[in-house]
Amino acid sequence: MKQNKLIGQNAERLAESYLKRKGIGIIARNYRCRQGEIDLIGWEGQILVFVEVKARINEGCGYPGEALTYYKRRRICHTASVFCLREHISQMTPVRFDVVEILGSRIRHIENAFEYCI
C-alpha cells in the first residue's frame, strides 16, 4: 500500500477518535458516490457534520487545510447533498462542514470550515 494512503487511513482513524471524544457520533466513514467522497459523517446533537480529514507529516508541504480548494469543497457539498437525499434527511436539518487537520502529531479541528457551496 502506498505511503500516502497509509498516512490518510491513520489520519482518519485519529480524527474519528478525536471527534468521538468531542461528542460527535460517527455514522459513516469514507462515504462515496459518483459525485465524490466524504471522509467522516456524524451527528453532533441535531447537527449533521460532514468532515474532511487532511494530513501532512510536517509543514514542508504546507498546512493540510490549504489543500482544500474551492473545487474540492464544492465536490464535498455535492456529495453531502446526495447523502442527505439517499438517507432521507430533511432539508431543514442543520449541517456543518468541518476540517480536521493532522500535522505530525497535532490535531486541529476547524468547525464550520466552509459554507454549503452548491
Side-chain angles (χ1 to χ4, degrees):
M1 188 176 287
K2 288 186 172 183
Q3 183 180 5
N4 286 348
K5 187 132 177 111
L6 282 173
I7 291 168
Q9 288 175 344
N10 288 335
E12 287 173 10
R13 281 194 293 274
L14 280 171
E16 182 176 354
S17 292
Y18 177 82
L19 294 171
K20 283 180 177 178
R21 286 192 306 272
K22 286 187 79 174
I24 297 175
I26 302 300
I27 59 169
R29 293 163 199 81
N30 298 312
Y31 176 80
R32 285 184 172 82
C33 65
R34 196 173 72 199
Q35 284 70 21
E37 187 250 348
I38 296 175
D39 295 325
L40 299 167
I41 303 171
W43 288 99
E44 184 173 42
Q46 300 297 312
I47 301 170
L48 184 59
V49 183
F50 296 96
V51 182
E52 178 69 9
V53 179
K54 291 291 184 187
R56 298 284 184 272
I57 295 173
N58 58 47
E59 296 174 20
C61 295
Y63 285 94
E66 293 172 352
L68 197 59
T69 65
Y70 167 77
Y71 295 103
K72 177 67 175 171
R73 291 190 311 266
R74 193 173 147 138
R75 182 174 217 107
I76 291 168
C77 290
H78 282 296
T79 305
S81 293
V82 170
F83 176 83
C84 290
L85 188 64
R86 287 183 179 168
E87 297 299 319
H88 308 288
I89 294 171
S90 167
Q91 291 180 339
M92 301 305 292
T93 301
V95 298
R96 190 175 80 208
F97 295 92
D98 292 0
V99 172
V100 174
E101 285 186 333
I102 299 180
L103 185 58
S105 61
R106 293 178 294 186
I107 298 176
R108 180 176 166 214
H109 179 200
I110 306 166
E111 294 183 16
N112 280 320
F114 58 94
E115 297 290 322
Y116 190 70
C117 51
I118 290 185

